[in-house]
Amino acid sequence: MTETTGGEGRDGAEGFTPRGGVFGFFLMVLGMFMAILDIQIVASSLPQIQAGVSASRDQITWVQTAYLVAEVVMIPLSGWLARVMSSRWLFVASSAGFTVTSALCALSWNIESLILFRAIQGFVGGAMIPTVFAANYKLFPPERQMVGTVVIGLTATMAPAIGPTLGGYITEYFSWEWLFLINLVPGVLVTLAVPLVVDIDRARPSLFRRIDIIGIALTGGFLGALEFVLDEGPREDWFADDTILFFALVSGLSAILLLWRELTIADPVLDLRTFRNRNFTVGCILTFVLGMCLYGQSYILPQLLFQVRGYNSLQVGEVMFVTGAAMFLTAPIAGRLARAVDPRILLAIGFPMVALGLYLNSGMTADVSFDELFWAQVVRGSGLILCIVPITATALGTLPMDRVSAGSGLFNVFRNMGGAVGLALINTEWDGRYDRHYWWMAESLGADGQRTGAHIDRLTEMFARNPAVGDPHAAAMQVLAQDVGQQATVMAWNDVFLMMAAAFLLAVPLVFLFAKPAPGGGVGAH
């Protein structure tokens, strides 16, 4: 990968040529990988962190919520900040802030300090991801951008896939502090090296004098409050909770005012006019759907294996690693196909593959094991990378260069919000399906009184032989209730997988809304 030369650089500044090449791009991708991985390894190890800082169950969820809320506010702002500071210095500031706050998280003395440092970490680190997406299109000529797209897509999907594995390993053999301390060495390396080798575009500090404070506040109100509602809603029974209702109203009102504000001022902090590009808009919708699976499948399987099989973090990580391995092996194939095949055809294959991988998980039992989950993960992981590469290339690769940074921020917001919406729907659907299956089985056992009674008698007799059991009949009833609950748990997760598979199949027609590829294999901007 080499930079283009000429009188006018790809950022639109006359006489400026971006520099950085493969090495500079690799350093930036390493920073992005670090930021995405941090979300997953922490999410998979919350019980260990909870014990380490003596937090309650309700408090520990805020370690993740604070990070996600802050990150989702920063991501769309990154486009404007890149124009003000330049992409290089925005990335360096983001990497430095992320590294420092990682150290502070490891040094946290109680749950309150950890939540504060996590919120700062999410906000300052959130700019790295969209900046890398934009850098691919600013650093490299069109014929080399597909390679960068494959690398970015692989990084964005591999980090969630291997996160549980790494998180499990760290908490099994070290301590929870190392979930944050592992960021320090790569963080320092990236922070020091990127400004020396990378220069993507020119800063425009004059924009700071026309800063859209109201737009920034409304962005925070809309996305921050929405992320909070989606994350906390399933746990708090949604709008039955006054706090959830309040933040939902804040998000809705902020969204309306933000739309009006950003479409009526000269220098908006969010360039919503980017959505005039047909490919970009369709790509955002599809990456929203993709985010539902990317984050959803990384959430469901660990939950099932924890709840039903009693796996520890390391065992769960070993199972989840299959998805990451499938993505890694499929990525080079996806890159070659994306250059040679109509992206719409590739997506029409990729989305059904993801749906099939989800469907294969919809018939699990309480004895589900690594072997039974293997092929479902292979199919799903391969399908995901076949989708991510053409969606990213078609959505961002057809934008005018002066809109790539803004578009990258918005594009990543859609993926993250897809994950947030997906997790909220997953938890809500699971609660409803669990209750339905539990009471259906309880009623069935009651209707078959003779067989149920015989089973309870056998259990009672077994517990009666154990002098440590005070009430054998009560112990037998407790075991029966646990068995019913376990079966209901598996059946509910099966229903959720089936629901996600249906969502991916319903999304297939959307891929044909992409503009017809231009002669020579490109995709025209519309």
Side-chain angles (χ1 to χ4, degrees):
M1 295 180 183
T2 56
E3 304 83 34
T4 59
T5 58
E8 186 173 340
R10 284 186 300 279
D11 72 330
E14 186 173 350
F16 175 76
T17 301
R19 62 178 174 86
V22 174
F23 182 61
F25 182 68
F26 169 78
L27 288 171
M28 296 183 73
V29 169
L30 177 61
M32 182 184 83
F33 178 80
M34 199 170 52
I36 299 175
L37 182 68
D38 188 78
I39 301 173
Q40 297 302 322
I41 63 173
V42 171
S44 66
S45 305
L46 286 178
Q48 289 80 2
I49 299 175
Q50 179 181 348
V53 294
S54 303
S56 68
R57 185 177 178 182
D58 289 338
Q59 287 175 319
I60 199 62
T61 60
W62 274 95
V63 171
Q64 198 70 344
T65 301
Y67 185 99
L68 295 174
V69 168
E71 182 190 52
V72 82
V73 173
M74 167 54 81
I75 287 176
L77 299 179
S78 63
W80 179 80
L81 288 171
R83 284 186 290 155
V84 175
M85 300 172 61
S86 82
S87 297
R88 172 174 62 162
W89 290 112
L90 172 61
F91 185 90
V92 170
S94 180
S95 175
F98 182 86
T99 304
V100 170
T101 50
S102 292
L104 292 174
C105 287
L107 296 172
S108 298
W109 52 92
N110 56 27
I111 185 61
E112 289 79 13
S113 62
L114 179 57
I115 291 171
L116 173 63
F117 295 144
R118 280 288 281 173
I120 300 172
Q121 184 187 38
F123 187 76
V124 297
M128 278 193 284
I129 300 169
T131 304
V132 173
F133 274 77
N136 179 46
Y137 297 96
K138 292 185 174 185
L139 278 176
F140 305 123
E143 64 272 13
R144 300 296 181 90
Q145 290 169 3
M146 187 57 70
V147 177
T149 302
V150 171
V151 172
I152 289 173
L154 185 61
T155 303
T157 51
M158 279 285 289
I162 71 172
T165 308
L166 184 58
Y169 183 86
I170 290 172
T171 53
E172 187 76 14
Y173 295 106
F174 299 96
S175 63
W176 68 268
E177 289 91 348
W178 281 96
L179 296 168
F180 303 104
L181 292 175
I182 61 167
N183 294 327
L184 299 188
V185 172
V188 170
L189 170 65
V190 169
T191 301
L192 295 178
V194 165
L196 299 177
V197 298
V198 175
D199 195 4
I200 298 174
D201 46 28
R202 293 301 189 202
R204 295 170 59 191
S206 61
L207 289 175
F208 195 78
R209 292 196 293 269
R210 303 193 296 274
I211 185 172
D212 182 15
I213 294 291
I214 296 176
I216 292 174
L218 291 174
T219 300
F222 168 42
L223 293 175
L226 179 59
E227 178 71 36
F228 173 82
V229 169
L230 292 172
D231 193 69
E232 297 294 315
R235 286 193 286 267
E236 303 297 337
D237 197 21
W238 292 102
F239 301 126
D241 182 84
D242 290 341
T243 304
I244 299 295
L245 179 61
F246 171 77
F247 277 100
L249 293 173
V250 169
S251 179
L253 181 60
S254 298
I256 295 170
L257 294 175
L258 178 66
L259 183 64
W260 169 80
R261 172 76 180 179
E262 300 306 278
L263 292 177
T264 55
I265 65 170
D267 293 300
V269 70
L270 297 184
D271 192 356
L272 300 181
R273 297 173 183 86
T274 307
F275 288 107
R276 291 174 180 171
N277 181 294
R278 171 174 152 189
N279 284 339
F280 176 76
T281 301
V282 175
C284 285
I285 296 171
L286 291 175
T287 203
F288 181 92
V289 177
L290 212 59
M292 295 175 65
C293 176
L294 186 61
Y295 292 99
Q297 59 105 24
S298 296
Y299 169 76
I300 296 175
L301 276 182
Q303 290 295 314
L304 175 72
L305 296 173
F306 280 134
Q307 295 170 3
V308 176
R309 299 289 285 144
Y311 281 17
N312 60 33
S313 296
L314 185 57
Q315 290 172 310
V316 170
E318 290 170 352
V319 173
M320 295 295 294
F321 184 74
V322 175
T323 303
M327 292 176 181
F328 182 80
L329 294 174
T330 310
I333 301 172
R336 289 182 178 274
L337 289 175
R339 286 196 296 266
V341 178
D342 183 335
R344 298 174 299 178
I345 295 176
L346 202 57
L347 291 170
I349 296 171
F351 270 86
M353 281 185 66
V354 176
L356 176 61
L358 294 166
Y359 174 76
L360 291 174
N361 277 134
S362 66
M364 296 181 294
T365 68
D367 298 320
V368 66
S369 63
F370 179 91
D371 292 342
E372 295 170 76
L373 296 171
F374 180 82
W375 286 110
Q377 292 192 88
V378 169
V379 173
R380 190 163 62 247
S382 301
L384 279 169
I385 204 69
L386 286 177
C387 292
I388 289 171
V389 172
I391 288 175
T392 305
T394 308
L396 296 179
T398 60
L399 287 175
M401 200 52 59
D402 61 345
R403 294 188 185 273
V404 167
S405 292
S408 176
L410 294 169
F411 182 79
N412 279 278
V413 163
F414 270 78
R415 187 190 68 245
N416 282 23
M417 295 312 298
V421 171
L423 291 177
L425 291 175
I426 284 168
N427 282 314
T428 301
E429 180 71 7
W430 183 86
D431 284 340
R433 300 304 297 179
Y434 175 85
D435 290 343
R436 178 173 296 188
H437 287 302
Y438 187 94
W439 292 114
W440 175 79
M441 283 189 286
E443 290 172 2
S444 298
L445 290 173
D448 192 2
Q450 185 175 356
R451 185 179 299 179
T452 304
H455 182 61
I456 293 173
D457 289 342
R458 285 193 297 272
L459 290 172
T460 301
E461 184 179 348
M462 181 187 70
F463 283 116
R465 300 192 194 104
N466 187 349
V469 178
D471 189 339
H473 181 72
M477 294 299 293
Q478 184 178 5
V479 169
L480 182 63
Q482 288 174 346
D483 288 343
V484 172
Q486 185 181 71
Q487 293 299 324
T489 296
V490 177
M491 295 169 73
W493 285 128
N494 286 344
D495 290 348
V496 171
F497 270 117
L498 200 59
M499 175 189 75
M500 292 173 64
F504 265 75
L505 285 179
L506 291 173
V508 172
L510 295 176
V511 306
F512 296 102
L513 295 177
F514 272 133
K516 182 179 179 180
V523 181
H526 286 252

